[in-house]
Structure formats: C-alpha cells, structure tokens
Amino acid sequence: MSPLPKRALLAITSYHGPFYPNGDNTGLYYTEALHPYTVLTAAGFQVDLASETGEYGIDPHSVTKTALTDADALVYNDKQNDFNQKLAQIKKASDLDPTAYGLFFASAGHATLFDYPKAKGLISIAESVWARGGIVSAVCHGPAILPHIKDQATGKSIINGRTVTGFTDKGEVELNLMDKIKELGLVPITQGAVQAGATYKEPEGAFDVFTVVDGRLVTGANPPSAHATAVKAVEAFDKL
C-alpha cells in the first residue's frame, strides 16, 4: 500500500473564452473531469477540483446530446450531484497544500492549451506529487501541462525520455481546428510532447480508447479514454 495520501487533485482549465471558428468559447470538456472523478471516488480517493484561478467554464461542445451518454446527461442535469457541487465550489490551486495529494490528474478541453502551460499553481502541485513518488496523469489536451512539470532531480520535464499520448494532430484536423490552433500560436499536444523529449504514441483512430502507462506517468488520448486513463492511474497508484 502506498504511503502517499489517497487524495487526488483533479485539475480543471480556467480558460473560458473564444476559440472555435464560429466564435464559441472553449472550456472544460465536461466528461474528461466527470469520468476520472467517478473512477477516483469509487476507488476510495478523496478528490479536490482546482483550477489556476479558481474559476472555470464548460465547453458547450462537450455537453451536447452527441457528446454525452444518457448516464452522463443525467449527471450533468443534476445540480445536486456531488461532482457538480464540487465543480461549483472549485478551488484555486495556489490555496492548496501540494503535499496533501498522492495523485494529480489533468482533465482537459482545448482550453488547456491556453492556460495549462503557465498554470504555476497546478504545476507546483504536480511537481510535488511527482517528487514524492506519486502518480501524474492527464487525458486528451490535459497533457499540455506535462512539458512544464519539472522533475526536481533532473531539472527536465517529467516526460523527458518517457512515452506519452494525448489528443492527436489527426483529431485536430478531423475537427477542423488545427488551423485555428496554429493561428492562435497554441502548441498541439504532439508538438509539446516531442519538444519536451518524450516519445509520443497515438491510437489508430483519433477517438479510439487509448492509454499509455510509463511508470508513474499515465496518459490518455481523447474524451472516450478518460475513464480508462483514470483506471490505469488508480492501478499505478496501488502498485506504489
């Protein structure tokens, strides 16, 4: 059994602003936080939700009828649900004690490309978890934070020399968003990973369930992988 606290920090993007070509805002991809929260709490973790600023907004594209299963929709529409209550009372990362956590999980949404690379509070928590031998995990665009999480022993990113996954360039093209990403000067997940010295692996299909476990680093490729990524993160924690 791990000597680390069985408490997880579920990172949420604080960016909720224009992104999509039609002018829609981006923000938190709802199920990429809901599904990990459900897995972690079922596994006995205490889970805190935090963003860099203590604010958040939901990406409207993530809560459409096509994006949510019937079960997801029931949760989304129940404002008294425990997850929604936690989200409504989201914490500010810099107000938290990094040593309280044994697992860090970065949820996603395209919004993470805007704020995660400079989210010093969230990065500090992840660095503490890593330095104490804990699990760092991320799904879809959540890996935007990984190049910036430093290993205190090496001074390099924790993904340097490791294998990761995350949302694919092919997926960005399928969604007609790659041009927008380039126009805004944002760094795609694939590029950020390679620049940080990681080996990037991707699923055959952009939305196939796909995870990569490299020791204490656990990553997932897309929204359908959020549940499986959290399951793998719990399994990795249990092996500590």
Side-chain angles (χ1 to χ4, degrees):
M1 182 178 290
S2 171
L4 293 164
K6 198 166 185 179
R7 191 179 194 102
L9 191 286
L10 183 54
I12 306 290
T13 179
S14 59
Y15 181 79
H16 188 232
F19 169 68
Y20 292 100
N22 68 354
D24 283 352
N25 286 353
T26 183
L28 166 67
Y29 199 97
Y30 185 75
T31 56
E32 290 178 340
L34 171 63
H35 292 174
Y37 179 84
T38 303
V39 170
L40 290 164
T41 53
F45 281 81
Q46 291 180 285
V47 183
D48 292 331
L49 276 58
S51 73
E52 187 65 14
T53 65
E55 300 175 351
Y56 79 99
I58 294 173
D59 188 317
H61 294 218
S62 75
V63 289
T64 62
K65 288 184 178 180
T66 53
L68 298 175
T69 65
D70 289 345
D72 293 333
L74 284 174
V75 174
Y76 176 66
N77 290 310
D78 177 8
K79 301 311 175 188
Q80 300 307 310
N81 178 273
D82 184 55
F83 172 74
N84 292 328
Q85 290 285 309
K86 284 278 185 80
L87 198 53
Q89 299 166 20
I90 192 168
K91 301 175 186 294
K92 184 177 180 180
S94 61
D95 291 339
L96 302 175
D97 174 8
T99 65
Y101 303 99
L103 187 151
F104 177 93
F105 193 105
S107 69
H110 278 90
T112 62
L113 299 179
F114 290 85
D115 74 321
Y116 273 7
K118 52 192 175 187
K120 293 181 179 179
L122 292 173
I123 289 167
S124 176
I125 294 171
E127 287 179 343
S128 173
V129 170
W130 187 263
R132 289 178 289 109
I135 303 299
V136 172
S137 184
V139 68
C140 198
H141 292 88
I145 200 169
L146 298 179
H148 310 280
I149 301 170
K150 303 301 182 188
D151 186 327
Q152 294 176 8
T154 66
K156 298 178 180 180
S157 168
I158 63 170
I159 66 174
N160 182 265
R162 294 181 179 272
T163 302
V164 300
T165 190
F167 200 63
T168 66
D169 288 352
K170 181 167 52 178
E172 304 291 14
V173 172
E174 285 183 19
L175 295 175
N176 296 314
L177 291 172
M178 184 58 90
D179 287 345
K180 190 67 175 179
I181 288 171
K182 291 179 178 178
E183 175 191 325
L184 292 169
L186 301 172
V187 179
I189 298 304
T190 53
Q191 181 181 327
V194 172
Q195 287 177 344
T199 297
Y200 173 83
K201 291 181 66 176
E202 64 179 56
E204 183 175 342
F207 293 93
D208 293 348
V209 174
F210 188 76
T211 62
V212 172
V213 179
D214 190 334
R216 297 186 290 113
L217 181 65
V218 183
T219 49
N222 47 42
S225 303
H227 176 94
T229 306
V231 169
K232 295 292 187 181
V234 170
E235 291 175 353
F237 184 89
D238 288 342
K239 292 176 182 177
L240 295 176

Short mmCIF file of all heavy atoms in Angstrom, two decimals, residues 116-160:
data_model
loop_
_atom_site.label_atom_id
_atom_site.label_comp_id
_atom_site.label_asym_id
_atom_site.label_seq_id
_atom_site.Cartn_x
_atom_site.Cartn_y
_atom_site.Cartn_z
N TYR A 116 -2.84 25.85 -19.25
CA TYR A 116 -2.01 24.86 -18.55
C TYR A 116 -0.50 25.12 -18.65
O TYR A 116 0.22 24.93 -17.67
CB TYR A 116 -2.33 23.45 -19.05
CG TYR A 116 -3.48 22.76 -18.35
CD1 TYR A 116 -4.29 23.41 -17.42
CD2 TYR A 116 -3.77 21.42 -18.64
CE1 TYR A 116 -5.34 22.74 -16.80
CE2 TYR A 116 -4.81 20.76 -18.01
CZ TYR A 116 -5.61 21.41 -17.10
OH TYR A 116 -6.64 20.75 -16.48
N PRO A 117 0.01 25.55 -19.81
CA PRO A 117 1.47 25.73 -19.89
C PRO A 117 2.03 26.76 -18.93
O PRO A 117 3.22 26.72 -18.60
CB PRO A 117 1.67 26.17 -21.35
CG PRO A 117 0.53 25.56 -22.09
CD PRO A 117 -0.63 25.68 -21.14
N LYS A 118 1.20 27.67 -18.42
CA LYS A 118 1.68 28.70 -17.50
C LYS A 118 0.92 28.67 -16.16
O LYS A 118 0.93 29.66 -15.42
CB LYS A 118 1.57 30.08 -18.15
CG LYS A 118 0.20 30.39 -18.71
CD LYS A 118 0.23 31.64 -19.59
CE LYS A 118 -1.14 31.87 -20.25
NZ LYS A 118 -1.12 32.94 -21.23
N ALA A 119 0.29 27.55 -15.88
CA ALA A 119 -0.51 27.41 -14.65
C ALA A 119 0.41 27.02 -13.49
O ALA A 119 0.49 25.86 -13.09
CB ALA A 119 -1.61 26.37 -14.85
N LYS A 120 1.09 28.01 -12.92
CA LYS A 120 2.13 27.75 -11.93
C LYS A 120 1.61 27.02 -10.69
O LYS A 120 2.31 26.19 -10.11
CB LYS A 120 2.81 29.05 -11.53
CG LYS A 120 3.61 29.69 -12.66
CD LYS A 120 4.29 30.97 -12.20
CE LYS A 120 5.10 31.59 -13.33
NZ LYS A 120 5.75 32.87 -12.92
N GLY A 121 0.39 27.34 -10.27
CA GLY A 121 -0.17 26.69 -9.09
C GLY A 121 -0.41 25.21 -9.31
O GLY A 121 -0.05 24.37 -8.48
N LEU A 122 -1.04 24.88 -10.44
CA LEU A 122 -1.29 23.47 -10.76
C LEU A 122 0.03 22.73 -10.99
O LEU A 122 0.21 21.59 -10.53
CB LEU A 122 -2.17 23.37 -12.01
CG LEU A 122 -3.61 23.84 -11.87
CD1 LEU A 122 -4.31 23.83 -13.22
CD2 LEU A 122 -4.38 22.97 -10.87
N ILE A 123 0.95 23.37 -11.70
CA ILE A 123 2.25 22.76 -11.97
C ILE A 123 2.98 22.45 -10.67
O ILE A 123 3.58 21.39 -10.51
CB ILE A 123 3.09 23.68 -12.89
CG1 ILE A 123 2.50 23.69 -14.30
CG2 ILE A 123 4.55 23.23 -12.93
CD1 ILE A 123 3.06 24.79 -15.19
N SER A 124 2.90 23.36 -9.71
CA SER A 124 3.56 23.17 -8.42
C SER A 124 3.03 21.95 -7.69
O SER A 124 3.79 21.18 -7.10
CB SER A 124 3.38 24.42 -7.55
OG SER A 124 3.93 24.23 -6.27
N ILE A 125 1.71 21.75 -7.75
CA ILE A 125 1.11 20.58 -7.10
C ILE A 125 1.59 19.30 -7.78
O ILE A 125 1.98 18.34 -7.13
CB ILE A 125 -0.42 20.67 -7.13
CG1 ILE A 125 -0.89 21.85 -6.26
CG2 ILE A 125 -1.05 19.37 -6.61
CD1 ILE A 125 -2.37 22.16 -6.38
N ALA A 126 1.58 19.30 -9.13
CA ALA A 126 2.02 18.12 -9.87
C ALA A 126 3.49 17.81 -9.59
O ALA A 126 3.87 16.64 -9.44
CB ALA A 126 1.80 18.33 -11.36
N GLU A 127 4.32 18.85 -9.50
CA GLU A 127 5.75 18.63 -9.21
C GLU A 127 5.95 18.04 -7.83
O GLU A 127 6.82 17.18 -7.64
CB GLU A 127 6.51 19.95 -9.35
CG GLU A 127 6.66 20.39 -10.80
CD GLU A 127 7.39 21.71 -10.97
OE1 GLU A 127 7.52 22.46 -9.99
OE2 GLU A 127 7.85 21.98 -12.11
N SER A 128 5.15 18.46 -6.88
CA SER A 128 5.24 17.90 -5.53
C SER A 128 4.83 16.43 -5.51
O SER A 128 5.49 15.59 -4.90
CB SER A 128 4.35 18.71 -4.58
OG SER A 128 4.28 18.10 -3.31
N VAL A 129 3.72 16.13 -6.20
CA VAL A 129 3.26 14.74 -6.27
C VAL A 129 4.35 13.86 -6.89
O VAL A 129 4.66 12.78 -6.38
CB VAL A 129 1.95 14.65 -7.09
CG1 VAL A 129 1.61 13.18 -7.40
CG2 VAL A 129 0.80 15.31 -6.34
N TRP A 130 4.94 14.33 -7.98
CA TRP A 130 5.97 13.55 -8.67
C TRP A 130 7.21 13.37 -7.78
O TRP A 130 7.75 12.26 -7.68
CB TRP A 130 6.36 14.24 -9.97
CG TRP A 130 7.29 13.43 -10.83
CD1 TRP A 130 8.65 13.54 -10.91
CD2 TRP A 130 6.92 12.37 -11.70
NE1 TRP A 130 9.15 12.62 -11.80
CE2 TRP A 130 8.12 11.88 -12.29
CE3 TRP A 130 5.70 11.79 -12.05
CZ2 TRP A 130 8.11 10.84 -13.21
CZ3 TRP A 130 5.70 10.75 -12.97
CH2 TRP A 130 6.90 10.28 -13.54
N ALA A 131 7.64 14.44 -7.13
CA ALA A 131 8.85 14.39 -6.31
C ALA A 131 8.69 13.43 -5.13
O ALA A 131 9.68 12.84 -4.67
CB ALA A 131 9.20 15.79 -5.79
N ARG A 132 7.47 13.27 -4.65
CA ARG A 132 7.22 12.38 -3.51
C ARG A 132 6.87 10.96 -3.94
O ARG A 132 6.51 10.12 -3.11
CB ARG A 132 6.11 12.96 -2.63
CG ARG A 132 6.55 14.21 -1.86
CD ARG A 132 5.43 14.82 -1.03
NE ARG A 132 4.41 15.45 -1.87
CZ ARG A 132 3.19 14.97 -2.06
NH1 ARG A 132 2.81 13.85 -1.46
NH2 ARG A 132 2.34 15.61 -2.84
N GLY A 133 6.98 10.69 -5.25
CA GLY A 133 6.76 9.32 -5.73
C GLY A 133 5.34 9.01 -6.12
O GLY A 133 4.98 7.84 -6.24
N GLY A 134 4.52 10.05 -6.34
CA GLY A 134 3.13 9.83 -6.68
C GLY A 134 2.87 9.72 -8.17
O GLY A 134 3.80 9.68 -8.99
N ILE A 135 1.59 9.69 -8.53
CA ILE A 135 1.14 9.48 -9.91
C ILE A 135 0.74 10.80 -10.55
O ILE A 135 -0.01 11.59 -9.95
CB ILE A 135 -0.07 8.52 -9.95
CG1 ILE A 135 0.26 7.18 -9.28
CG2 ILE A 135 -0.54 8.32 -11.40
CD1 ILE A 135 1.40 6.42 -9.91
N VAL A 136 1.23 11.03 -11.76
CA VAL A 136 0.78 12.18 -12.56
C VAL A 136 0.11 11.63 -13.81
O VAL A 136 0.68 10.79 -14.51
CB VAL A 136 1.95 13.11 -12.92
CG1 VAL A 136 1.49 14.17 -13.92
CG2 VAL A 136 2.52 13.77 -11.67
N SER A 137 -1.11 12.10 -14.05
CA SER A 137 -1.91 11.57 -15.15
C SER A 137 -2.60 12.71 -15.88
O SER A 137 -2.85 13.77 -15.31
CB SER A 137 -2.95 10.59 -14.59
OG SER A 137 -3.69 9.97 -15.62
N ALA A 138 -2.90 12.49 -17.16
CA ALA A 138 -3.56 13.51 -17.97
C ALA A 138 -4.25 12.85 -19.15
O ALA A 138 -3.79 11.82 -19.63
CB ALA A 138 -2.55 14.55 -18.46
N VAL A 139 -5.32 13.48 -19.62
CA VAL A 139 -6.06 12.92 -20.74
C VAL A 139 -6.33 13.98 -21.79
O VAL A 139 -6.51 15.16 -21.48
CB VAL A 139 -7.40 12.29 -20.27
CG1 VAL A 139 -8.38 13.34 -19.77
CG2 VAL A 139 -8.02 11.43 -21.37
N CYS A 140 -6.31 13.58 -23.06
CA CYS A 140 -6.70 14.38 -24.21
C CYS A 140 -5.81 15.61 -24.35
O CYS A 140 -4.65 15.49 -24.72
CB CYS A 140 -8.18 14.75 -24.11
SG CYS A 140 -8.89 15.29 -25.69
N HIS A 141 -6.30 16.81 -24.06
CA HIS A 141 -5.47 18.02 -24.09
C HIS A 141 -4.86 18.33 -22.72
O HIS A 141 -4.11 19.29 -22.60
CB HIS A 141 -6.28 19.22 -24.60
CG HIS A 141 -6.66 19.12 -26.04
ND1 HIS A 141 -7.82 18.50 -26.46
CD2 HIS A 141 -6.03 19.54 -27.17
CE1 HIS A 141 -7.89 18.54 -27.79
NE2 HIS A 141 -6.82 19.17 -28.25
N GLY A 142 -5.18 17.51 -21.72
CA GLY A 142 -4.57 17.67 -20.40
C GLY A 142 -3.05 17.58 -20.44
O GLY A 142 -2.37 18.28 -19.68
N PRO A 143 -2.47 16.74 -21.32
CA PRO A 143 -1.01 16.67 -21.40
C PRO A 143 -0.33 17.98 -21.81
O PRO A 143 0.90 18.04 -21.84
CB PRO A 143 -0.78 15.57 -22.45
CG PRO A 143 -1.95 14.66 -22.27
CD PRO A 143 -3.10 15.61 -22.04
N ALA A 144 -1.09 19.03 -22.10
CA ALA A 144 -0.50 20.34 -22.36
C ALA A 144 0.31 20.83 -21.16
O ALA A 144 1.22 21.64 -21.29
CB ALA A 144 -1.58 21.36 -22.70
N ILE A 145 -0.02 20.32 -19.97
CA ILE A 145 0.68 20.74 -18.76
C ILE A 145 1.98 19.96 -18.55
O ILE A 145 2.90 20.44 -17.89
CB ILE A 145 -0.24 20.59 -17.53
CG1 ILE A 145 0.28 21.47 -16.37
CG2 ILE A 145 -0.38 19.14 -17.09
CD1 ILE A 145 -0.72 21.58 -15.22
N LEU A 146 2.08 18.78 -19.12
CA LEU A 146 3.18 17.87 -18.79
C LEU A 146 4.58 18.40 -19.14
O LEU A 146 5.51 18.22 -18.34
CB LEU A 146 2.95 16.51 -19.45
CG LEU A 146 1.69 15.76 -19.01
CD1 LEU A 146 1.57 14.43 -19.75
CD2 LEU A 146 1.70 15.51 -17.50
N PRO A 147 4.80 19.05 -20.28
CA PRO A 147 6.15 19.55 -20.57
C PRO A 147 6.66 20.54 -19.52
O PRO A 147 7.87 20.72 -19.38
CB PRO A 147 5.99 20.22 -21.93
CG PRO A 147 4.84 19.53 -22.56
CD PRO A 147 3.89 19.27 -21.42
N HIS A 148 5.75 21.14 -18.79
CA HIS A 148 6.11 22.22 -17.86
C HIS A 148 6.24 21.74 -16.42
O HIS A 148 6.59 22.52 -15.54
CB HIS A 148 5.07 23.33 -17.99
CG HIS A 148 4.85 23.73 -19.41
ND1 HIS A 148 5.70 24.58 -20.09
CD2 HIS A 148 3.90 23.32 -20.31
CE1 HIS A 148 5.27 24.71 -21.34
NE2 HIS A 148 4.19 23.96 -21.49
N ILE A 149 5.96 20.47 -16.18
CA ILE A 149 6.13 19.88 -14.86
C ILE A 149 7.55 19.34 -14.78
O ILE A 149 7.91 18.41 -15.51
CB ILE A 149 5.11 18.74 -14.62
CG1 ILE A 149 3.68 19.27 -14.74
CG2 ILE A 149 5.33 18.11 -13.25
CD1 ILE A 149 2.63 18.17 -14.76
N LYS A 150 8.36 19.92 -13.93
CA LYS A 150 9.78 19.57 -13.87
C LYS A 150 10.06 18.49 -12.82
O LYS A 150 9.49 18.49 -11.74
CB LYS A 150 10.62 20.80 -13.55
CG LYS A 150 10.45 21.95 -14.52
CD LYS A 150 10.81 21.58 -15.95
CE LYS A 150 10.67 22.76 -16.89
NZ LYS A 150 10.84 22.37 -18.30
N ASP A 151 10.95 17.60 -13.19
CA ASP A 151 11.49 16.61 -12.26
C ASP A 151 12.60 17.29 -11.46
O ASP A 151 13.60 17.73 -12.04
CB ASP A 151 12.04 15.42 -13.04
CG ASP A 151 12.50 14.28 -12.15
OD1 ASP A 151 12.99 14.56 -11.03
OD2 ASP A 151 12.39 13.12 -12.57
N GLN A 152 12.42 17.41 -10.16
CA GLN A 152 13.38 18.14 -9.34
C GLN A 152 14.77 17.51 -9.39
O GLN A 152 15.78 18.19 -9.18
CB GLN A 152 12.88 18.21 -7.90
CG GLN A 152 11.62 19.05 -7.74
CD GLN A 152 11.07 19.03 -6.33
OE1 GLN A 152 11.69 18.52 -5.41
NE2 GLN A 152 9.87 19.60 -6.15
N ALA A 153 14.83 16.23 -9.68
CA ALA A 153 16.12 15.53 -9.71
C ALA A 153 16.92 15.85 -10.97
O ALA A 153 18.16 15.84 -10.94
CB ALA A 153 15.90 14.02 -9.61
N THR A 154 16.23 16.14 -12.07
CA THR A 154 16.92 16.35 -13.35
C THR A 154 16.80 17.78 -13.88
O THR A 154 17.60 18.19 -14.73
CB THR A 154 16.36 15.40 -14.42
OG1 THR A 154 15.00 15.76 -14.69
CG2 THR A 154 16.43 13.95 -13.97
N GLY A 155 15.80 18.50 -13.41
CA GLY A 155 15.55 19.84 -13.94
C GLY A 155 14.84 19.83 -15.28
O GLY A 155 14.56 20.87 -15.85
N LYS A 156 14.58 18.63 -15.79
CA LYS A 156 13.89 18.49 -17.08
C LYS A 156 12.42 18.12 -16.83
O LYS A 156 12.02 17.78 -15.72
CB LYS A 156 14.55 17.40 -17.92
CG LYS A 156 16.00 17.71 -18.28
CD LYS A 156 16.60 16.56 -19.09
CE LYS A 156 18.04 16.84 -19.47
NZ LYS A 156 18.64 15.72 -20.24
N SER A 157 11.61 18.20 -17.88
CA SER A 157 10.21 17.79 -17.78
C SER A 157 10.12 16.33 -17.34
O SER A 157 10.96 15.50 -17.71
CB SER A 157 9.51 17.94 -19.13
OG SER A 157 8.25 17.30 -19.12
N ILE A 158 9.08 16.02 -16.59
CA ILE A 158 8.89 14.63 -16.15
C ILE A 158 8.62 13.70 -17.33
O ILE A 158 8.74 12.48 -17.18
CB ILE A 158 7.76 14.50 -15.12
CG1 ILE A 158 6.40 14.91 -15.73
CG2 ILE A 158 8.06 15.31 -13.87
CD1 ILE A 158 5.21 14.57 -14.86
N ILE A 159 8.27 14.25 -18.50
CA ILE A 159 8.03 13.37 -19.65
C ILE A 159 9.27 13.19 -20.51
O ILE A 159 9.25 12.42 -21.46
CB ILE A 159 6.84 13.84 -20.50
CG1 ILE A 159 7.12 15.18 -21.18
CG2 ILE A 159 5.58 13.91 -19.67
CD1 ILE A 159 6.02 15.62 -22.16
N ASN A 160 10.35 13.87 -20.17
CA ASN A 160 11.59 13.70 -20.93
C ASN A 160 12.05 12.25 -20.84
O ASN A 160 12.21 11.70 -19.74
CB ASN A 160 12.67 14.62 -20.37
CG ASN A 160 13.97 14.53 -21.14
OD1 ASN A 160 14.87 13.78 -20.77
ND2 ASN A 160 14.07 15.28 -22.23
#
